[in-house]
Amino acid sequence: MPVVSNVTCPVCGSFCDDIEITVKNDVIVKVKNACAMGEAKFLNYASHRQTKPLIRKNGELVEVSLKEAVQKAAEILASAKYPILYGWSNTSCEAIRVGLELAEEVGGVIDNTSTVCHGPSILSIQDIGISSCTLGQLRHRADLIFYWGSNPWSAHPRHIDRYTTFAEGRFQKSAWRGYLSRLTGILSKKRLHRAVNLGLGRQTPSPPETELRLPSTLLQNKRKMIVVDVRKTRSAEIADYFLQVKPNKDYELLQALRMLVRDEELDVDKVTGIPVETLEEIVEIMIGCELGILFFGLGLTMSQGKHRNIDAALSLVRDLNRRTKFLIMPMRGHFNVTGVNVVFTWQTGYPYAVDFSHGYPRYNPGETSVVDILCRGESDAALVVASDPVAHFPNVAAQKLVEKPLVVIDPQVTPTSIMADVVIPSAFVGIEVEGTAYRMDHVPLPLKKVVEPPTTCLSDKEVLQKILGEVRRLRRNHN
Amino acid sequence: MPKLKVSLLTGRTINQGKGKEQGKLSEEYQNSVSICQMDPEDIKLLKVRENANVKVTTDFGSVIVKAVKSKRAPHSGVVFIPYGPWASVLANPKTHGTGMPSLKGEIAEIEPAITEKVLSLQELLRTCFRR
Ligand code: SF4
């Protein structure tokens, strides 16, 4: 059976490139090296699939030819005054490029999923700047790893393994063994606690999450990991130390750390419930590291303060660089959400929320971002590519999206495609068609083709090119 | 009936991640995102059993989900619903000029809803979008 090696995984922003796929009669039968999420995609992508284009007629979605669907999609977009073109982070850079051309042609707003994930991070990076690097550098050199408001164990399952704490680097060894002994400790502590409760017939609450005394492993000269979050996530459990922050209090904590890094006095005893002495010890460890990295996730960008939280995190890292070497990186979610920002920027000058209605690109998140446009009820049609806003946008916004003509290009059946007026199923990029995507550290990698797509499914790029061609023809005839 | 005021978090879980790759129409996906992870003490305060249905309400909507015991407890007063159509019903669309809605740390009320059922994805979409 043919085995395809070095396949990239088109799921999360870790964009692992070491997957091995066994193919039998053009069907994927075995997946090696991927995590549960990656494996689920490679093995199940084809179940629950719609392969023929659909158009809504008398309230029902009915199968039509590709030509008819493309025609209808082009009519909707060409006749709209202010259409939204949204999605893009789960497709190839090549398709995104055609999408931008289409947005300019129809004078619409093109926005991508970073608007509802790391949009605030981008705003803040534009203000403050970022000291960043590639993941390879961290794998070999980072000795202090922070995950703040991010739960890689669940959202980027192989991140810790491939790039940070558990990776075997050239200059930093994997901290896997230390974790194993810690795990045994945690389990026996939990067991003991339960036994005591059972024996005494009572339910005592478990001890508080943030331990006030820092564990000795943090002082040793080896790779260590600290997790800051509102709950003790799986990632927090495997960390050397977990710092629990109250919901919406990250900004305070970050600013307090900044003050301590700058040797300023804090005239309070506690910050968000954490004693200042504990924070002082943490800052000691930060300053004492050789190369630190702060990965941050949606816990920072989505909670109160939004981009101001990121301002504080970027500034903390800037301050730290006066004392040691420290870097920072957002934990990007979808496999090509970094690519979408890159392609948007090189084509239009802006990373997301780009408005072409004036004939030239304009960027003003809060005004030209898709959730705001929907909430104000300004758009009159939408094209969604490889994304599921109906499931993930706040309901109020999703309702406005569904009220107006909606075209969806997606290989999967999703709540958005179920609600659409025109559905054009495409081939899975990274499984059935090739392309390029950017890993979260801005390293571009190829998406491979391992099996043939169904004959009725073209790539996102080809579908978009057909729609663009048809829109141009309609507009020419109109003029 | 007992009611609790809580802070609502939304986010990813490994089951949601796995479920979405198996297809949004798969049972795995729907079961993985129509839940509310709660501190066991909070479940007790509601006077319901684990896996009972509860109704979560915010200023923006309300939805029935299954209350499951959080493996990340203690975090009393904080509940967690994975990203998905159920969490979106409750989400605050205000972006405060950033383009980003507020999806973490929303104030919510939670109460038992033993007699009501958790809607399937299709039923939920029908009630939200009348399509
Ligand atoms: S960590 Fe992400 S990219 Fe790597 S195998 Fe898992 S889902 Fe795929």
Side-chain angles (χ1 to χ4, degrees):
Chain A
M1 275 185 287
V3 177
V4 194
S5 52
N6 300 336
V7 176
T8 45
C9 170
V11 179
C12 83
S14 298
F15 203 30
C16 304
D17 56 359
D18 60 345
I19 315 294
E20 269 183 40
I21 306 258
T22 312
V23 180
K24 189 180 173 190
N25 301 331
D26 213 36
V27 175
I28 296 175
V29 289
K30 204 169 127 200
V31 181
K32 227 176 104 187
N33 293 344
C35 70
M37 257 154 61
E39 188 175 298
K41 172 142 189 185
F42 280 114
L43 293 179
N44 300 299
Y45 73 97
S47 49
H48 308 281
R49 181 175 194 178
Q50 165 71 31
T51 53
K52 300 248 173 63
L54 304 168
I55 289 186
R56 192 172 294 276
K57 291 182 179 165
N58 301 325
E60 294 291 322
L61 282 171
V62 293
E63 285 187 4
V64 293
S65 67
L66 178 64
K67 194 159 174 241
E68 192 181 338
V70 166
Q71 173 78 28
K72 180 82 187 157
E75 278 167 17
I76 289 175
L77 291 171
S79 62
K81 290 214 162 50
Y82 196 46
I84 287 171
L85 294 85
Y86 176 76
W88 311 106
S89 56
N90 277 326
T91 188
S92 65
C93 293
E94 290 80 356
I96 298 164
R97 203 176 148 167
V98 184
L100 285 154
E101 229 178 313
L102 180 61
E104 186 173 14
E105 184 69 41
V106 299
V109 171
I110 185 160
D111 201 357
N112 56 62
T113 58
S114 53
T115 194
V116 293
C117 63
H118 276 288
S121 314
I122 295 173
L123 289 177
S124 183
I125 291 167
Q126 287 169 335
D127 273 353
I128 312 257
I130 186 166
S131 348
S132 208
C133 58
T134 62
L135 291 169
Q137 203 178 349
L138 298 174
R139 174 190 172 99
H140 293 301
R141 295 179 190 275
D143 63 334
L144 177 62
I145 294 129
F146 266 82
Y147 286 101
W148 194 310
S150 149
N151 180 11
W153 189 278
S154 300
H156 303 79
R158 291 182 71 212
H159 197 270
I160 300 174
D161 224 33
R162 257 172 79 78
Y163 308 119
T164 66
T165 327
F166 294 163
E168 196 63 50
R170 195 177 303 166
F171 307 108
Q172 289 294 336
K173 297 290 157 242
S174 162
W176 175 245
R177 275 207 197 84
Y179 160 63
L180 279 185
S181 57
R182 212 159 43 247
L183 185 70
T184 333
I186 295 170
L187 287 180
S188 48
K189 212 162 42 177
K190 273 191 182 166
R191 239 176 272 134
L192 188 71
H193 189 74
R194 231 175 299 148
V196 169
N197 277 346
L198 217 64
L200 300 176
R202 59 163 197 198
Q203 280 276 344
T204 57
S206 327
E209 289 301 347
T210 299
E211 288 170 41
L212 302 181
R213 288 229 60 78
L214 261 45
S216 58
T217 52
L218 277 187
L219 305 171
Q220 290 164 8
N221 186 16
K222 59 181 184 71
R223 207 165 228 184
K224 32 203 173 268
M225 167 170 160
I226 297 181
V227 168
V228 189
D229 213 324
V230 290
R231 323 184 288 154
K232 190 160 194 173
T233 57
R234 272 306 272 278
S235 313
E237 239 162 42
I238 63 171
D240 292 271
Y241 187 63
F242 167 53
L243 192 60
Q244 189 163 25
V245 53
K246 294 200 181 112
N248 293 328
K249 296 286 181 205
D250 302 82
Y251 185 82
E252 264 136 288
L253 187 55
L254 284 162
Q255 292 294 28
L257 291 174
R258 282 189 72 195
M259 288 183 72
L260 294 174
V261 170
R262 295 157 153 250
D263 281 336
E264 286 165 25
E265 285 277 307
L266 282 171
D267 46 7
V268 287
D269 301 332
K270 285 180 172 180
V271 179
T272 87
I274 304 160
V276 170
E277 292 87 69
T278 309
L279 295 181
E280 277 168 351
E281 286 179 47
I282 292 170
V283 165
E284 264 319 85
I285 291 165
M286 291 172 109
I287 292 173
C289 78
E290 282 183 32
L291 173 62
I293 171 77
L294 198 166
F295 289 105
F296 63 95
L298 301 187
L300 274 193
T301 64
M302 280 186 177
S303 52
Q304 210 171 47
K306 294 182 183 158
H307 60 303
R308 294 297 171 223
N309 295 333
I310 316 301
D311 285 359
L314 292 170
S315 305
L316 170 65
V317 169
R318 195 178 54 189
D319 292 346
L320 276 162
N321 273 305
R322 295 188 186 157
R323 319 282 298 261
T324 180
K325 177 101 184 120
F326 228 95
L327 300 160
I328 179 164
M329 192 184 295
M331 291 288 280
R332 307 305 304 269
H334 296 300
F335 72 90
N336 199 22
V337 67
T338 306
V340 81
N341 294 139
V342 170
V343 181
F344 269 49
T345 308
W346 88 48
Q347 297 281 82
T348 72
Y350 306 114
Y352 67 103
V354 183
D355 182 340
F356 279 104
S357 63
H358 291 227
Y360 55 88
R362 243 169 33 93
Y363 165 73
N364 187 18
E367 181 205 344
T368 61
S369 36
V370 63
V371 174
D372 297 277
I373 293 172
L374 287 170
C375 288
R376 293 194 304 263
E378 288 174 352
S379 59
D380 56 350
L383 166 71
V384 172
V385 180
S387 172
D388 188 10
V390 168
H392 294 123
F393 277 2
N395 235 240
V396 186
Q399 274 164 1
K400 295 273 199 266
L401 183 76
V402 171
E403 275 168 18
K404 301 282 155 54
L406 173 62
V407 181
V408 172
I409 304 174
D410 199 317
Q412 272 170 317
V413 179
T414 64
T416 308
S417 76
I418 297 172
M419 291 293 124
D421 299 289
V422 181
V423 185
I424 307 181
S426 53
F428 280 89
V429 67
I431 299 180
E432 297 170 337
V433 284
E434 295 174 340
T436 312
Y438 280 72
R439 200 167 66 186
M440 63 163 75
D441 57 349
H442 289 80
V443 172
L445 294 166
L447 290 151
K448 282 202 178 171
K449 171 178 177 170
V450 285
V451 293
E452 286 298 325
T455 46
T456 47
C457 296
L458 300 178
S459 67
D460 294 325
K461 178 184 157 191
E462 288 165 313
V463 174
L464 286 160
Q465 277 169 335
K466 280 189 185 296
I467 296 179
L468 178 63
E470 190 57 29
V471 165
R472 286 198 170 132
R473 198 185 63 79
L474 287 172
R475 288 171 59 102
R476 254 198 320 271
N477 291 352
H478 188 71
N479 291 333
Chain B
M1 242 193 320
K3 252 188 200 180
L4 280 185
K5 258 216 161 41
V6 292
S7 176
L8 168 68
L9 302 176
T10 61
R12 288 195 187 284
T13 66
I14 187 86
N15 287 337
Q16 173 257 353
K18 239 168 72 184
K20 87 176 160 35
E21 299 308 340
Q22 289 176 345
K24 295 265 167 95
L25 298 186
S26 69
E27 222 169 283
E28 289 87 345
Y29 175 72
Q30 299 185 33
N31 292 341
S32 71
V33 295
S34 58
I35 56 166
C36 173
Q37 299 178 0
M38 295 179 69
D39 188 300
E41 296 299 315
D42 286 349
I43 298 190
K44 261 192 234 149
L45 287 179
L46 280 186
K47 300 206 167 61
V48 293
R49 280 171 195 273
E50 200 185 335
N51 294 334
N53 291 350
V54 291
K55 180 170 169 184
V56 187
T57 309
T58 61
D59 283 350
F60 309 93
S62 88
V63 74
I64 311 284
V65 287
K66 193 165 86 175
V68 303
K69 234 193 233 174
S70 168
K71 293 198 181 105
R72 311 273 148 249
H75 50 73
S76 68
V78 177
V79 304
F80 179 90
I81 304 184
Y83 290 149
W86 283 264
S88 298
V89 173
L90 305 169
N92 178 354
K94 293 204 186 84
T95 79
H96 305 110
T98 65
M100 165 77 126
S102 310
L103 303 180
K104 292 191 196 271
E106 204 51 44
I107 294 171
E109 228 172 40
I110 185 160
E111 60 194 300
I114 304 167
T115 51
E116 292 181 64
K117 75 176 188 96
V118 177
L119 299 182
S120 73
L121 180 62
Q122 259 101 343
E123 289 166 335
L124 184 76
L125 292 177
R126 224 170 289 137
T127 45
C128 291
F129 302 102
R130 278 172 242 105
R131 249 196 189 176

